[in-house]
Amino acid sequence: MIIKTLQSVSLATLLVIGASDQSVWAQDAKNNQYCANIADAASDARFALQRQALADMEKEIEGRIKVLEAKRAEYEEWLRRRNEVLEKADETIVLIYSRMRPDAAALQLTNMDEEIAAAVIAKLNPRVASAVLNEMEPGRAAQLANVITDAPKRDKNTVRQN
């Protein structure tokens, strides 16, 4: 009797497992059909997200290009001003100051327009220019050195952007 009971339980278990396998196979078929049905919609959604990401990147790049164009224009203006300053000191004036005593040249250049004085000093022989700058008040010499290097004037509140 125990053996017959075990046989019937085994047979019932096999039937349940077989039915269960059929339901799993049916569920797999439904899942595959669902995936096939939404594949186009998922692909369209993925495409839309990628297109939006590309549009956002394009806007960011355009913004960076504008910043770079503004910087380029700023440096072109800086170069134009520098060339104008250097043209202000013609060779005759430079020759005159190069033959003066450094203390006398320093006194005259101190009272001159900043850009013209810087242009004259920039065109002097480096040995003569250093002697003249050495005779000047340190603040004025530093101002003229800044004009000679023509470092662009920056606001103290300007934040550098990368």
Side-chain angles (χ1 to χ4, degrees), residues 70-86 146-154:
K71 287 289 182 189
R72 184 182 60 79
E74 178 184 335
Y75 286 118
E76 284 178 354
E77 175 63 21
W78 171 83
L79 183 61
R80 185 191 60 74
R81 281 194 332 258
R82 178 165 174 73
N83 289 336
E84 284 177 1
V85 166
L86 291 176
N146 283 336
V147 172
I148 290 169
T149 59
D150 204 22
K153 293 177 176 57
R154 295 188 175 125

Side-chain angles (χ1 to χ4, degrees), residues 2 6 11 45 48 54-55 61-63 67 87 96 103 116 119 122 125 129 131 133 138 143 146:
I2 293 177
L6 285 175
L11 187 57
L54 286 174
I61 289 171
E62 287 174 0
V67 168
E87 289 172 5
I96 291 170
D103 60 334
I116 295 172
N125 176 315
L133 286 172
Q143 276 181 326
N146 283 336

